[in-house]
Amino acid sequence: MSADTWWKNGIVYQIYPRSFQDSNGDGIGDLDGIRARLDYLVSLGIDAVWISPIYPSPMADFGYDISDFCDIDPRFGTLDGFDALVGDAHSRGLRVILDFVPNHTSDRHPWFVQSRSARSDRRRNWYLWRDPAPDGGPPNNWVSNFGGPAWTLDPSTGQYYGHSFLKEQPDLNWRNPEVRAAMYEVLRFWLRRGVDGFRVDVLSQIIKDAQFRDNPPNPDFVEGQDPFHRWLMLYNTDLPEVQQIVAEMRRVVDAFSDTHSSRVLIGELYLPFARLVAYYGLNAQGALEGVQLPFNFQLIATEWQAARIDRLVRDYEAALPPGAAPNWVLGNHDKPRIASRVGQQMARIAAMLLLTLRGTPTLYYGDEIGMTDVPIPADEVQDPFEKNKPGMGLGRDPERTPMQWSAAASAGFTTGTPWLRLAADWRTHNVEAQSHDEAGSMLALYRHLIALRRAQPALNRGSYEALAAEDEVLAYARNGEGQRLVVLLNFGAASAPMSPALLPRQPIVLASTDPARAEFIKGPLVLAPYEGVVIGAVVDKAATMR
Ligand code: NOJ
């Protein structure tokens, strides 16, 4: 794999560091823990880890409230430990991607402490300060993602500051060139330490309307929904000016790329395709100067149905600008887990889909063993989203529970008390148990599909061709380097006979979600209920074994 395209052909694995592996018994995962699990990640076959924030933080939003962008929180380790992790990862051929959180800081960040100290402070304009409305209330109707107004009054200076999330997460003023310069220095700090790129938090929201106009009401809002959706975010998300900042970030990162190591930007963007693809930054000369991978979250939101997903993939393929690298995501630390959304059986189809579509797949830790959302009793809730809007199903603790490594105490995650409870079934549902079930486990399926994707050029860089099939079967081919692989995913509860016209001559099953499926197809191919297969021609088998 050539260095400059690793993020196009590779597989990204997201680690939520609090929950991956604890090394010191405090019940919270840490960098040395991740380091100790690198061989597992290598055995899985992934190419890059993205680690959610590890910087000093009061943990109001579990690390997404950062009080120092250029250090490591002692709960996670030290800068020396971080360097050691990067060194060990690189020596194993793994890339390291950090989370970059440009929209806001912690309210304890020295920049904000200064900014709020006086209206005349030199850092006042680093944040969004506004006078109260004539009635003394917030300056406009913007609301926080986590509930309540996006404005908090600072009594000592008599102005409100803006925050898209918690009041402990004041928004930076990206219209201020000093802020931009300081934040680009943060990128350089980590790039110099050798990181391979950044996942950029809430990228579309970082710049707001210069006049701070009220957002219009959302005509589709239904009472009982999260009140956040009462307004359309016309004036505080996805403004045209954000593209200039994206291009600037890209230039900062590109300055550290060379033929041996290309650095990547991945944007966190919950946007429909038409708006999402703008973040590739296609310029008038046809070059792409935006983020290389604007996260495509559509598989998280879509109805889990063959025709829907067929449409979705076609729409995405059609929307991509020339030369853009596609990507797909099944889950992350903010959304219910795939196995809980669609069930264990369907999660196997989802794994096959993710790992056979055209585009960089991102895996969320634990999904490879089919971890499910863990119900968290009210008195154990950690997530501020749940605390602020209880009972709406918005809390994110259920998908953040500790990784289930083995049947040892606390699933091998910690020798102490885990910060968040484990799934009830951890004694049987864990990496070690699934490693022994070499044919049938979710882990075995993931390992096999990842190995297949790496071995088969048609899968990791071939084109996508939608095929017509039965109602409940999603069918497509991946074509490349003289190879054609056919993927057939049966979303239905009934067996599905496949037309021989879909299959190559001398077909062979390169992968199936059904451990009972034989390699050679005798007679017509009939998919079992909820079965997915990757079909190649006999010659492709040889490629896989090389
Ligand atoms: C998106 C992150 O993924 C989420 O976990 C966090 O709470 C918000 N951004 C605020 O940083």
Side-chain angles (χ1 to χ4, degrees), residues 14 16 50 52-53 61-65 99 101 103-104 145-146 164-166 169 199-202 205 268 270 297 332-334 383-385 396 400:
Q14 182 191 355
Y16 193 67
W50 148 35
S52 287
D61 187 20
F62 294 104
Y64 284 95
D65 51 318
D99 223 302
V101 185
N103 181 69
H104 45 268
N145 288 249
F146 290 154
S164 305
F165 295 89
L166 299 174
Q169 294 167 293
R199 172 268 191 189
V200 187
D201 194 63
V202 289
Q205 291 186 39
E268 189 211 18
Y270 285 92
F297 293 130
N332 59 39
H333 63 295
D334 294 327
D383 183 18
F385 206 3
R396 300 164 298 177
R400 297 176 175 180

Side-chain angles (χ1 to χ4, degrees), residues 364-435:
Y364 182 49
Y365 87 93
D367 280 353
E368 75 275 23
I369 55 167
M371 275 175 63
T372 48
D373 292 341
V374 178
I376 305 295
D379 61 344
E380 292 176 22
V381 166
Q382 305 275 345
D383 183 18
F385 206 3
E386 178 66 28
K387 288 183 180 166
N388 289 358
K389 301 187 191 183
M392 298 188 74
L394 298 170
R396 300 164 298 177
D397 293 331
E399 62 264 22
R400 297 176 175 180
T401 59
M403 181 69 174
Q404 296 153 211
W405 292 106
S406 70
S410 295
F413 164 68
T414 180
T415 53
T417 307
W419 74 283
L420 200 55
R421 65 163 56 203
L422 286 152
D425 64 356
W426 62 267
R427 285 183 186 78
T428 51
H429 202 132
N430 57 56
V431 169
E432 195 177 83
Q434 293 200 12
S435 297

Side-chain angles (χ1 to χ4, degrees), residues 178-359:
E178 286 181 1
V179 168
R180 294 191 192 192
M183 292 303 277
Y184 300 152
E185 264 315 300
V186 171
L187 291 175
R188 292 187 190 101
F189 175 86
W190 294 105
L191 288 162
R192 280 187 210 106
R193 294 195 108 88
V195 307
D196 300 283
F198 303 91
R199 172 268 191 189
V200 187
D201 194 63
V202 289
L203 181 56
S204 62
Q205 291 186 39
I206 61 179
I207 195 149
K208 282 86 180 172
D209 182 41
Q211 298 166 53
F212 295 89
R213 280 168 282 189
D214 274 350
N215 278 328
N218 174 4
D220 300 324
F221 180 74
V222 183
E223 278 313 323
Q225 246 188 312
D226 178 355
F228 177 70
H229 300 296
R230 195 178 287 280
W231 313 99
L232 295 175
M233 293 176 74
L234 187 64
Y235 292 117
N236 53 353
T237 198
D238 196 26
L239 300 189
E241 296 97 310
V242 76
Q243 298 303 338
Q244 190 199 340
I245 297 173
V246 173
E248 287 173 9
M249 284 182 190
R250 174 66 184 271
R251 282 198 288 276
V252 171
V253 168
D254 274 357
F256 287 79
S257 292
D258 55 41
T259 46
H260 303 294
S261 84
S262 114
R263 320 287 176 114
V264 69
L265 287 175
I266 308 177
E268 189 211 18
L269 296 153
Y270 285 92
L271 293 173
F273 289 148
R275 289 163 66 191
L276 180 70
V277 297
Y279 288 76
Y280 285 106
L282 180 65
N283 68 15
Q285 291 72 46
L288 301 174
E289 57 179 19
V291 297
Q292 290 99 324
L293 300 174
F295 258 147
N296 164 12
F297 293 130
Q298 297 296 323
L299 286 178
I300 296 181
T302 189
E303 211 179 307
W304 204 252
Q305 210 221 354
R308 282 297 172 113
I309 295 175
D310 179 52
R311 182 78 267 152
L312 194 73
V313 182
R314 291 176 200 238
D315 289 350
Y316 184 52
E317 287 279 341
L320 290 167
N327 76 91
W328 294 95
V329 182
L330 282 180
N332 59 39
H333 63 295
D334 294 327
K335 300 290 173 190
R337 282 190 181 271
I338 182 71
S340 290
R341 298 202 310 270
V342 303
Q344 288 291 354
Q345 220 170 359
M346 218 29 132
R348 297 172 74 86
I349 296 265
M352 186 170 276
L353 177 71
L354 177 72
L355 291 163
T356 59
L357 280 174
R358 188 174 86 90

